[in-house]
Amino acid sequence: MSDAKRVIYLDNAATTRTRPEVVEAMLPFFTQYYGNPSSVYDLAGVSKKAVGDARQILADSIGAKPQEIYFTAGGSESDNWAIKAAAEAYQQKGRHIITSKVEHHAVLHTCQYLEKQGFEVTYLDVDEHGVVKLEELKKAIRPDTILISVMFANNEIGTMEPVKAIGQLAKENGILFHTDAVQAYAHVPIDVDAYHIDMLSASGHKLNGPKGIGFLYIRTGVKIRSFIHGGAQERKRRAGTENVPGIVGLGKAAQLAMATMEERAAKEKALRDYLIRRVLAEVPYTRLNGHPTDRLPNNANFAFQFIEGESLLIMLDMAGVCGSSGSACTSGSLDPSHVLLAIGLPHEIAHGSLRLTLSEETTREDINYVVGEIKRIVERLRSMSPLYEDFVKQGR
Ligand SMILES: *Cc1c(COP(=O)(O)O)cnc(C)c1O
């Protein structure tokens, strides 16, 4: 990609642009304050204090205590740690775990791994909007259930899960509740006490922070042990010299994101709804995937009949628009996304999906341009589709 090409970046669920203020805050911790926080001299003290300050910011952002925040290498590590370590620590009580069919692979593949180790996992169904069915959750709870892991908001279709009700059920039944909040954290308000959350995963690069840094919130009293063995960092629960620049960047990103959350969400939501309205009105045979209102402020996900999402993506890319498709052809598989199948989309419609996720930098002009390009490209792709031709011949 040439530097000069103008890009409209609408793939903020995949990753975000690191804010310049975040980079600026990180830089001194590479070349100036490079001490190891575990060392005793003054230089190290600066690093140690910076790590502590970031921890305090993150704790405050979810109503937690600083000693309940553990730095990790991102969302995937946090999810793996929470689920595997809880399974290990609580297996005397039972070997049953409940999760949902629409989780991120960092949760799903971890659960599948645990099944091979002799744990039993219930994968809850969701409704047509992607919302976990609470009645099914109630029925799934057993005396040997040790953990419920349900995401705060879905990364593909943006649907918000009923986290508060799930947390309440977990608490009433004495079961640990973990939530993958990677998409929701610093985008929507979260309070770990009000929602009865015992463990929460978050990741820096989904909130305009750096990649490769995240945290796991672990409520005081939860027994889980270290996942990475070695030194005594992170109160002996996560070994390894702290990623000081990353931690500083995550703290700064969280601080900025929390301070602007309300107005950012309002702005993104207005543009998102404008995008959704126009696409549904101007492109025939199209549906919105995910909950119509109870969804992440920046997420729109469409299914266009009679086209391949991958072709749409490639042509959008040529037009300077970055989006994401619901099928996983790019990752070497022809299966459509597990999330789109879980909400009941037939394979052929799931294949024609497009996810667009906005940022605070997105403008109305961007959306106007993108809608125009979608209309043009979808029309062109359909004009080449034998399926569409048959459909039109049959008189619709
Ligand atoms: C991005 C994402 C992850 C993975 O986070 P990484 O920091 O990239 O490892 C996990 N869960 C959800 C919901 C995500 O969107």
Side-chain angles (χ1 to χ4, degrees), residues 13-14 73-77 79 104 106 151 153 155 180 182-183 203 205-206:
S76 299
E77 184 188 323
D79 286 342
H104 189 274
M151 68 203 321
N155 48 302
D180 174 343
V182 173
Q183 288 292 329
S203 175
H205 74 103
K206 305 287 174 82

Side-chain angles (χ1 to χ4, degrees), residues 174-203:
I175 300 166
L176 282 185
F177 176 38
H178 166 253
T179 187
D180 174 343
V182 173
Q183 288 292 329
Y185 174 69
H187 292 279
V188 298
I190 298 177
D191 184 302
V192 288
D193 285 341
Y195 292 180
H196 308 294
I197 295 165
D198 295 309
M199 294 184 282
L200 176 145
S201 305
S203 175

Side-chain angles (χ1 to χ4, degrees), residues 81-212:
W81 183 15
I83 297 168
K84 286 180 194 164
E88 190 194 7
Y90 290 84
Q91 60 186 325
Q92 262 74 42
K93 189 197 159 202
R95 307 197 102 205
H96 180 234
I97 294 167
I98 301 174
T99 186
S100 85
K101 288 187 179 166
V102 295
E103 298 300 309
H104 189 274
H105 282 141
V107 168
L108 283 181
H109 290 170
T110 301
C111 286
Q112 285 159 13
Y113 164 81
L114 286 174
E115 282 184 288
K116 292 203 192 95
Q117 310 298 311
F119 287 86
E120 246 187 279
V121 182
T122 301
Y123 299 90
L124 298 171
D125 284 318
V126 294
D127 68 14
E128 77 269 28
H129 299 315
V131 182
V132 163
K133 295 178 176 169
L134 284 174
E135 280 313 307
E136 213 175 282
L137 171 59
K138 276 183 205 159
K139 279 188 230 141
I141 292 173
R142 316 191 312 211
D144 62 341
T145 306
I146 52 172
L147 174 70
I148 298 174
S149 180
V150 174
M151 68 203 321
F152 209 101
N154 189 271
N155 48 302
E156 290 188 35
I157 56 176
T159 297
M160 308 293 301
E161 295 299 342
V163 170
K164 198 169 188 173
I166 296 171
Q168 184 66 39
L169 273 174
K171 190 184 156 98
E172 283 165 11
N173 289 278
I175 300 166
L176 282 185
F177 176 38
H178 166 253
T179 187
D180 174 343
V182 173
Q183 288 292 329
Y185 174 69
H187 292 279
V188 298
I190 298 177
D191 184 302
V192 288
D193 285 341
Y195 292 180
H196 308 294
I197 295 165
D198 295 309
M199 294 184 282
L200 176 145
S201 305
S203 175
H205 74 103
K206 305 287 174 82
L207 51 127
N208 304 97
K211 295 169 179 62

